[in-house]
Amino acid sequence: MSEQVAGRRIESVARRGKFIVIALDAGELSVHLGMTGKLLVSGVETPHSYGVFTMDDGVLLYDDPRQFGRIEWGDARASALGPEPLQVGVEAFTAALRRRKTRVKALLLNQAFLAGLGNIYVDEILFAAGIHPLARASRLSRLRIARLHQAMVDTLTLAIEHRGSSISDYVDADGNRGDFQMLHRVYGREGQPCANCGGPIKKILVAGRGTHFCAVCQRR
DNA sequence: CAGATCACCTGCTTGC
DNA sequence: TGCAAGCAGGTGATCT
Protein backbone atom coordinates (compact mmCIF):
# COMPACT_ATOMS: atom_id res chain seq x y z
CA MET A 1 0.00 0.00 0.00
CA SER A 2 2.90 2.35 0.78
CA GLU A 3 3.88 2.47 -2.89
CA GLN A 4 0.42 3.57 -4.01
CA VAL A 5 0.05 6.16 -1.27
CA ALA A 6 3.51 7.72 -1.39
CA GLY A 7 3.54 11.21 -2.87
CA ARG A 8 -0.24 11.35 -3.33
CA ARG A 9 -2.46 14.17 -2.20
CA ILE A 10 -5.70 13.79 -0.20
CA GLU A 11 -8.53 15.26 -2.27
CA SER A 12 -11.49 14.48 -0.05
CA VAL A 13 -12.71 12.42 2.90
CA ALA A 14 -16.18 10.89 2.83
CA ARG A 15 -18.18 8.14 4.50
CA ARG A 16 -20.01 5.14 3.06
CA GLY A 17 -21.66 2.90 5.64
CA LYS A 18 -19.01 2.20 8.26
CA PHE A 19 -16.19 2.96 5.83
CA ILE A 20 -14.22 6.19 5.75
CA VAL A 21 -13.23 6.78 2.13
CA ILE A 22 -10.11 8.88 1.62
CA ALA A 23 -9.86 9.91 -2.03
CA LEU A 24 -6.35 10.64 -3.30
CA ASP A 25 -5.38 12.35 -6.54
CA ALA A 26 -4.94 8.78 -7.80
CA GLY A 27 -6.94 5.98 -6.18
CA GLU A 28 -8.49 5.85 -2.74
CA LEU A 29 -8.17 4.33 0.73
CA SER A 30 -11.05 2.65 2.55
CA VAL A 31 -10.78 2.69 6.34
CA HIS A 32 -12.94 0.58 8.65
CA LEU A 33 -12.47 1.31 12.35
CA GLY A 34 -13.85 -2.05 13.47
CA MET A 35 -14.55 -1.65 17.14
CA THR A 36 -11.55 0.06 18.70
CA GLY A 37 -9.99 1.72 15.66
CA LYS A 38 -9.09 5.39 15.64
CA LEU A 39 -8.06 7.61 12.77
CA LEU A 40 -6.16 10.51 14.29
CA VAL A 41 -4.78 13.68 12.75
CA SER A 42 -1.64 14.68 14.64
CA GLY A 43 -2.16 12.12 17.40
CA VAL A 44 0.50 10.47 19.52
CA GLU A 45 1.93 7.26 18.13
CA THR A 46 1.34 4.15 20.28
CA PRO A 47 2.31 0.47 20.02
CA HIS A 48 -1.08 0.00 18.33
CA SER A 49 -0.44 2.51 15.56
CA TYR A 50 -0.60 0.09 12.63
CA GLY A 51 -0.76 2.87 10.06
CA VAL A 52 1.47 5.95 10.14
CA PHE A 53 1.06 8.37 7.23
CA THR A 54 3.48 11.26 7.23
CA MET A 55 1.96 14.28 5.54
CA ASP A 56 3.40 17.67 4.62
CA ASP A 57 1.46 19.31 7.43
CA GLY A 58 1.21 16.60 10.08
CA VAL A 59 0.78 12.89 10.73
CA LEU A 60 -2.24 10.70 10.10
CA LEU A 61 -2.36 7.74 12.51
CA TYR A 62 -4.39 4.58 12.30
CA ASP A 63 -4.60 3.16 15.84
CA ASP A 64 -6.41 -0.07 16.66
CA PRO A 65 -5.65 -2.05 19.87
CA ARG A 66 -8.02 -4.91 19.06
CA GLN A 67 -7.15 -5.05 15.39
CA PHE A 68 -10.72 -5.54 14.21
CA GLY A 69 -10.51 -2.68 11.76
CA ARG A 70 -8.54 -2.37 8.55
CA ILE A 71 -7.30 -0.08 5.84
CA GLU A 72 -7.66 -1.22 2.26
CA TRP A 73 -6.37 0.20 -0.96
CA GLY A 74 -9.29 0.88 -3.26
CA ASP A 75 -13.07 0.74 -3.11
CA ALA A 76 -14.01 -1.45 -0.10
CA ARG A 77 -16.65 -3.34 -2.14
CA ALA A 78 -19.05 -0.45 -1.74
CA SER A 79 -21.33 -2.20 -4.19
CA ALA A 80 -22.05 -4.85 -1.55
CA LEU A 81 -23.42 -2.25 0.85
CA GLY A 82 -27.11 -1.48 1.26
CA PRO A 83 -28.56 2.05 1.24
CA GLU A 84 -27.75 4.70 3.83
CA PRO A 85 -30.22 4.78 6.77
CA LEU A 86 -30.64 8.56 6.39
CA GLN A 87 -31.18 8.31 2.64
CA VAL A 88 -33.54 5.38 2.20
CA GLY A 89 -37.18 6.39 1.89
CA VAL A 90 -39.90 4.88 4.06
CA GLU A 91 -41.56 3.18 1.06
CA ALA A 92 -38.40 1.38 -0.06
CA PHE A 93 -37.55 0.55 3.56
CA THR A 94 -41.00 -0.96 4.10
CA ALA A 95 -40.88 -3.03 0.93
CA ALA A 96 -37.40 -4.33 1.77
CA LEU A 97 -38.30 -5.37 5.33
CA ARG A 98 -41.45 -7.15 4.25
CA ARG A 99 -39.42 -9.36 1.94
CA ARG A 100 -37.26 -10.74 4.77
CA LYS A 101 -38.29 -13.31 7.35
CA THR A 102 -35.28 -12.91 9.63
CA ARG A 103 -35.19 -11.25 13.05
CA VAL A 104 -35.42 -7.49 12.66
CA LYS A 105 -32.26 -6.91 14.70
CA ALA A 106 -30.18 -9.24 12.53
CA LEU A 107 -31.52 -7.54 9.44
CA LEU A 108 -30.70 -4.01 10.61
CA LEU A 109 -27.15 -5.13 11.43
CA ASN A 110 -26.72 -6.65 7.97
CA GLN A 111 -24.57 -4.15 6.04
CA ALA A 112 -25.74 -5.53 2.71
CA PHE A 113 -29.30 -4.66 3.72
CA LEU A 114 -28.59 -1.26 5.27
CA ALA A 115 -25.16 0.32 5.55
CA GLY A 116 -23.83 1.77 8.76
CA LEU A 117 -25.86 0.60 11.75
CA GLY A 118 -23.96 -1.18 14.55
CA ASN A 119 -25.03 -2.92 17.73
CA ILE A 120 -25.54 0.16 19.92
CA TYR A 121 -27.70 2.04 17.45
CA VAL A 122 -29.85 -0.93 16.48
CA ASP A 123 -30.71 -1.50 20.16
CA GLU A 124 -31.51 2.19 20.68
CA ILE A 125 -33.55 2.44 17.47
CA LEU A 126 -35.62 -0.66 18.26
CA PHE A 127 -36.38 0.71 21.72
CA ALA A 128 -37.42 4.06 20.29
CA ALA A 129 -39.69 2.24 17.84
CA GLY A 130 -41.19 -0.09 20.47
CA ILE A 131 -40.19 -3.15 18.46
CA HIS A 132 -38.80 -6.35 19.99
CA PRO A 133 -35.36 -7.32 18.59
CA LEU A 134 -36.58 -10.86 17.88
CA ALA A 135 -39.58 -9.70 15.82
CA ARG A 136 -39.69 -11.18 12.32
CA ALA A 137 -39.16 -8.39 9.79
CA SER A 138 -41.78 -9.62 7.34
CA ARG A 139 -44.47 -9.74 10.02
CA LEU A 140 -44.23 -6.09 11.08
CA SER A 141 -47.18 -3.92 10.07
CA ARG A 142 -46.68 -0.96 7.74
CA LEU A 143 -47.42 1.39 10.61
CA ARG A 144 -44.77 -0.19 12.83
CA ILE A 145 -42.20 -0.15 10.03
CA ALA A 146 -42.95 3.54 9.50
CA ARG A 147 -42.30 4.07 13.22
CA LEU A 148 -39.06 2.12 12.92
CA HIS A 149 -37.96 4.28 10.00
CA GLN A 150 -38.75 7.46 11.94
CA ALA A 151 -36.96 6.13 15.04
CA MET A 152 -33.93 5.36 12.88
CA VAL A 153 -33.80 8.88 11.44
CA ASP A 154 -34.41 10.54 14.83
CA THR A 155 -31.91 8.40 16.74
CA LEU A 156 -29.12 8.77 14.19
CA THR A 157 -29.69 12.51 13.80
CA LEU A 158 -29.50 13.01 17.56
CA ALA A 159 -26.46 10.74 17.89
CA ILE A 160 -24.64 12.67 15.16
CA GLU A 161 -25.42 15.94 16.93
CA HIS A 162 -23.81 14.42 20.03
CA ARG A 163 -20.85 13.24 17.95
CA GLY A 164 -21.39 9.54 18.61
CA SER A 165 -21.05 7.19 21.56
CA SER A 166 -17.75 6.89 23.42
CA ILE A 167 -18.21 3.75 25.51
CA SER A 168 -14.53 3.05 25.88
CA ASP A 169 -12.48 3.88 22.82
CA TYR A 170 -14.23 5.98 20.25
CA VAL A 171 -12.83 9.42 19.45
CA ASP A 172 -13.00 11.48 16.27
CA ALA A 173 -10.06 12.56 14.12
CA ASP A 174 -9.25 15.36 16.58
CA GLY A 175 -9.29 12.99 19.55
CA ASN A 176 -12.63 14.28 20.87
CA ARG A 177 -15.13 11.91 22.52
CA GLY A 178 -18.83 11.82 21.74
CA ASP A 179 -21.42 11.96 24.50
CA PHE A 180 -24.41 10.15 23.04
CA GLN A 181 -23.77 7.31 25.51
CA MET A 182 -25.31 9.61 28.13
CA LEU A 183 -28.57 9.34 26.21
CA HIS A 184 -28.58 5.56 25.73
CA ARG A 185 -31.88 4.19 26.94
CA VAL A 186 -31.19 0.46 26.70
CA TYR A 187 -27.63 -0.25 25.56
CA GLY A 188 -25.43 -1.09 28.54
CA ARG A 189 -28.35 -0.59 30.95
CA GLU A 190 -29.18 -4.18 31.86
CA GLY A 191 -31.25 -4.32 35.06
CA GLN A 192 -31.79 -0.56 35.18
CA PRO A 193 -35.33 0.86 34.91
CA CYS A 194 -36.83 1.50 31.49
CA ALA A 195 -37.14 5.25 30.80
CA ASN A 196 -40.67 4.61 29.58
CA CYS A 197 -42.32 2.14 31.98
CA GLY A 198 -39.81 1.64 34.80
CA GLY A 199 -39.50 -2.08 34.18
CA PRO A 200 -36.03 -3.66 34.13
CA ILE A 201 -33.99 -3.55 30.91
CA LYS A 202 -33.28 -7.11 29.76
CA LYS A 203 -30.21 -8.44 28.01
CA ILE A 204 -30.25 -11.43 25.66
CA LEU A 205 -28.14 -12.75 22.80
CA VAL A 206 -29.40 -12.08 19.25
CA ALA A 207 -27.35 -12.87 16.17
CA GLY A 208 -24.44 -13.50 18.53
CA ARG A 209 -24.51 -10.01 20.04
CA GLY A 210 -25.51 -8.56 23.36
CA THR A 211 -29.03 -7.21 22.91
CA HIS A 212 -30.68 -4.78 25.32
CA PHE A 213 -34.42 -4.10 25.37
CA CYS A 214 -37.54 -3.52 27.46
CA ALA A 215 -39.78 -6.57 27.44
CA VAL A 216 -42.80 -4.40 28.26
CA CYS A 217 -42.38 -1.53 25.76
CA GLN A 218 -40.98 -3.55 22.86
CA ARG A 219 -43.42 -6.00 21.28
CA ARG A 220 -42.86 -8.65 18.59
C1' DC B 1 -29.62 -20.58 -0.18
C1' DA B 2 -30.28 -18.06 3.79
C1' DG B 3 -29.55 -17.71 8.31
C1' DA B 4 -26.94 -19.17 12.45
C1' DT B 5 -22.52 -19.86 14.59
C1' DC B 6 -17.59 -19.51 15.19
C1' DA B 7 -12.96 -17.30 14.96
C1' DC B 8 -10.31 -13.40 15.08
C1' DC B 9 -8.03 -9.93 18.80
C1' DT B 10 -6.81 -7.65 23.27
C1' DG B 11 -8.19 -4.64 27.22
C1' DC B 12 -11.17 -4.43 30.84
C1' DT B 13 -14.39 -6.60 34.21
C1' DT B 14 -15.90 -10.29 36.99
C1' DG B 15 -15.51 -14.01 40.20
C1' DC B 16 -13.28 -17.23 43.10
C1' DT C 1 -4.96 -9.92 46.88
C1' DG C 2 -4.13 -11.89 42.64
C1' DC C 3 -4.93 -14.28 38.81
C1' DA C 4 -7.70 -16.59 35.32
C1' DA C 5 -11.75 -16.83 32.89
C1' DG C 6 -15.35 -14.14 30.71
C1' DC C 7 -16.95 -10.58 27.86
C1' DA C 8 -17.07 -6.94 24.30
C1' DG C 9 -18.17 -6.67 18.97
C1' DG C 10 -17.76 -6.15 13.02
C1' DT C 11 -16.86 -9.10 9.74
C1' DG C 12 -15.90 -13.08 7.00
C1' DA C 13 -15.51 -18.07 6.87
C1' DT C 14 -17.81 -22.13 7.94
C1' DC C 15 -21.65 -24.92 9.21
C1' DT C 16 -26.63 -26.32 9.10
Side-chain angles (χ1 to χ4, degrees), chain A residues 40-178:
Chain A
L40 298 166
V41 175
S42 298
V44 179
E45 202 172 329
T46 73
H48 303 116
S49 300
Y50 295 105
V52 180
F53 303 89
T54 306
M55 305 182 291
D56 288 346
D57 53 354
V59 177
L60 178 64
L61 292 178
Y62 174 67
D63 222 74
D64 188 8
R66 233 165 279 189
Q67 301 172 49
F68 268 40
R70 59 181 184 275
I71 302 183
E72 289 176 16
W73 174 250
D75 175 356
R77 53 194 165 291
S79 55
L81 294 177
E84 291 286 331
L86 292 180
Q87 302 290 328
V88 66
V90 66
E91 304 84 5
F93 186 65
T94 303
L97 258 96
R98 300 206 120 201
R99 265 183 248 119
R100 305 293 292 266
K101 294 182 177 177
T102 190
R103 313 283 188 184
V104 64
K105 167 146 183 177
L107 190 57
L108 295 178
L109 283 173
N110 181 346
Q111 301 297 296
F113 180 79
L114 200 63
L117 296 187
N119 199 42
I120 294 173
Y121 294 103
V122 169
D123 279 6
E124 293 299 319
I125 288 166
L126 288 173
F127 175 81
I131 295 173
H132 196 292
L134 290 176
R136 299 280 177 182
S138 61
R139 302 189 60 161
L140 293 171
S141 70
R142 292 183 178 279
L143 177 61
R144 299 187 75 208
I145 294 176
R147 284 188 187 140
L148 176 60
H149 183 269
Q150 191 62 50
M152 180 167 75
V153 171
D154 292 347
T155 301
L156 290 180
T157 301
L158 186 62
I160 289 166
E161 285 173 9
H162 284 264
R163 305 198 62 78
S165 306
S166 291
I167 302 295
S168 59
D169 299 272
Y170 173 73
V171 292
D172 67 17
D174 296 318
N176 296 317
R177 293 165 58 85

Side-chain angles (χ1 to χ4, degrees), chain A residues 188-211:
Chain A
R189 299 179 56 86
E190 181 185 11
Q192 295 178 44
C194 166
N196 216 24
C197 73
I201 298 301
K202 308 271 190 193
K203 183 177 180 186
I204 59 175
L205 213 58
V206 178
R209 293 185 189 78
T211 296

